[in-house]
Amino acid sequence: MGAGVLSTYRDLLPLTSATPMITMGEGDTPLVKSNRLGRELGCPELYFKLEGCNPTGSFKDRGMVVAIAKALEEGSRAIMCASTGNTSASAAAFGAHCDIPTFVLIPKGEVAMGKLAQAMIYGAKVIMVNANFDVALGLVREFTERNDVTLVNSVNPNRIEGQKTAAFEVVDALGDAPDLLFIPVGNAGNITAYWKGFREYQDLGRSQTLPRMMGFQAEGAAPIVRGEIVANPQTIASAIRIGNPASWSGAIEARDGSGGVIDSVSDDEILEAYRLLANKEGIFCEPASAASFAGLVKMHRQGLDLHDKRIVCICTGNGLKDPDLAVSSAGGQAIEIAPTIEAVEAATLGNGELGEPRRSRNSE
Ligand code: AN7
């Protein structure tokens, strides 16, 4: 493994002998079994798919590698996307890797600093628009229709093709599809891609079952839940601050075809899940990513019985993209002391923070 999405899933992607087999090491991300949170929710088989381990820190790399390879194959002169941040980081990285000019339109003031930093250092032309993501995507669609530049948002079907490989990996790791798959929903490309991947694997006989697709939007940016476009979407989870998802119908198909759910979680629920994942599992994902686990917590509170369910939560992006939010959410945990051993001891042992002695942490 580690060979990248194109060569690993060559036969299941729209490749030809002329497609350049590029890779930056995307895909093959860990599926980690929960050590604490699953137990607390009465769910012994809970897994997290760590998409933040991709080269640019999000799942977008899986789709981008296919979109860029096809753009190169077609002789494209430049690529372009609108983005809440991660798509632009991924496009910019692959643009640099493949030496193809990259234009990214981002909503001004609404993109996490780490993502903006990525797009800039990778050398993309970063264009800030005084509007939200939906407006920026509209501009990019119009621009790429009028000009010979390849659109690499998930309205480009090659993006969906690449992203479906994450579903393949989940099945390959578990031996079958999970019972429930929790996933954040923004522009709805990813839920569309996973559903396509699970169905293709089942058609090929590589899995017996299909998961129920459990998609979660942020409450202030939940057009699919509400059944109408949200003109001015608002949420702390800036990656999914999207009011008119491009793959809206794909999300509905995933929901209805799988007997699943598209629901919303509040910003408080997202932040609670964000903190829980970090301080009870050691998983530092970004707030938008935590919407998947927040959805699981919500359904647990509503009485969903999880004891015999195999569940996967997709952690779509890396928490390091927005460290300021982590510091402000963690709440005053760093203390300042004088540089003496007494002060170090007072700050550590003084408050009984070590707890009771214990032999083994894994004996349960
Ligand atoms: C971490 O980068 O839309 O439902 O422009 O960055 O497939 O849109 C990002 C979306 C979830 C939602 N988690 O996925 C963009 C962008 C993270 C994300 C989503 C995004 P889709």
Side-chain angles (χ1 to χ4, degrees):
M1 288 308 225
V5 159
L6 297 186
S7 67
T8 303
Y9 296 105
R10 172 195 302 263
D11 299 336
L12 301 172
L13 294 170
L15 310 183
T16 72
S17 57
T19 313
M21 299 297 281
I22 54 173
T23 183
M24 295 212 315
E26 68 291 332
D28 195 17
T29 58
L31 187 70
V32 173
K33 191 164 187 187
S34 168
N35 196 37
R36 294 176 68 187
L37 292 171
R39 212 179 304 169
E40 290 181 14
L41 296 176
C43 177
E45 274 218 79
L46 173 62
Y47 298 87
F48 301 102
K49 179 83 169 148
L50 304 188
E51 289 291 284
C53 294
N54 277 295
T56 75
S58 86
F59 69 97
K60 304 285 182 183
D61 295 336
R62 292 177 185 279
M64 200 57 70
V65 71
V66 180
I68 304 297
K70 295 303 283 184
L72 294 171
E73 180 181 344
E74 287 152 17
S76 171
R77 291 165 49 220
I79 57 172
M80 184 179 213
C81 66
S83 182
T84 58
N86 280 323
T87 300
S88 62
S90 185
F94 278 98
H97 185 76
C98 299
D99 192 18
I100 182 165
T102 305
F103 305 111
V104 307
L105 257 69
I106 59 172
K108 185 173 170 220
E110 294 192 23
V111 168
M113 186 55 76
K115 303 175 188 180
L116 182 60
Q118 286 180 287
M120 292 176 73
I121 195 72
Y122 291 135
K125 178 94 180 174
V126 178
I127 304 159
M128 296 208 207
V129 197
N130 214 339
N132 64 29
F133 168 83
D134 302 292
V135 172
L137 181 57
L139 289 168
V140 166
R141 292 175 91 148
E142 195 179 339
F143 178 90
T144 51
E145 268 164 33
R146 292 157 60 113
N147 298 281
D148 184 19
V149 169
T150 303
L151 171 88
V152 296
N153 282 101
S154 58
V155 290
N156 177 333
N158 294 318
R159 281 277 314 278
I160 305 288
E161 289 298 312
Q163 285 171 213
K164 77 185 178 187
T165 61
F168 298 163
E169 289 177 14
V170 169
V171 172
D172 287 340
L174 297 177
D176 207 340
D179 298 304
L180 299 165
L181 185 110
F182 285 79
I183 184 168
V185 175
N187 216 19
N190 212 27
I191 191 172
T192 302
Y194 270 83
W195 182 234
K196 187 168 198 283
F198 283 121
R199 279 179 305 143
E200 286 185 11
Y201 244 34
Q202 193 195 36
D203 288 345
L204 290 166
R206 302 207 194 169
S207 61
Q208 305 307 308
T209 61
L210 291 168
R212 287 178 68 196
M213 302 292 291
M214 316 296 278
F216 283 84
Q217 303 195 288
E219 206 166 81
I224 299 175
V225 181
R226 295 168 52 160
E228 60 186 12
I229 292 170
V230 175
N232 186 19
Q234 292 299 336
T235 168
I236 183 121
S238 58
I240 52 172
R241 197 179 286 156
I242 294 175
N244 185 14
S247 296
W248 192 315
S249 63
I252 299 286
E253 264 174 50
R255 180 193 67 192
D256 297 347
S258 73
V261 161
I262 308 236
D263 197 356
S264 63
V265 281
S266 69
D267 279 3
D268 284 348
E269 289 170 318
I270 287 172
L271 287 175
E272 183 199 11
Y274 170 73
R275 284 189 292 263
L276 282 172
L277 284 168
N279 64 42
K280 293 203 171 176
E281 294 289 354
I283 294 173
F284 184 22
C285 64
E286 58 178 288
S289 304
S292 56
F293 182 67
L296 176 62
V297 171
K298 179 176 178 177
M299 305 229 50
H300 171 73
R301 283 187 183 139
Q302 289 175 348
L304 183 69
D305 182 9
L306 309 174
H307 85 277
D308 59 351
K309 301 279 191 305
R310 196 184 241 186
I311 297 181
V312 172
C313 289
I314 309 301
C315 299
T316 46
N318 197 308
L320 286 170
K321 287 168 181 267
D322 196 353
D324 290 346
L325 183 70
V327 171
S328 61
S329 304
Q333 285 178 8
I335 58 169
E336 217 177 301
I337 59 161
T340 67
I341 193 65
E342 290 77 14
V344 175
E345 284 182 348
T348 50
L349 308 174
N351 301 318
E353 293 196 16
L354 293 187
E356 293 298 309
R358 47 185 154 184
R359 272 224 186 84
S360 166
R361 313 224 30 181
N362 297 316
S363 55
E364 280 169 74

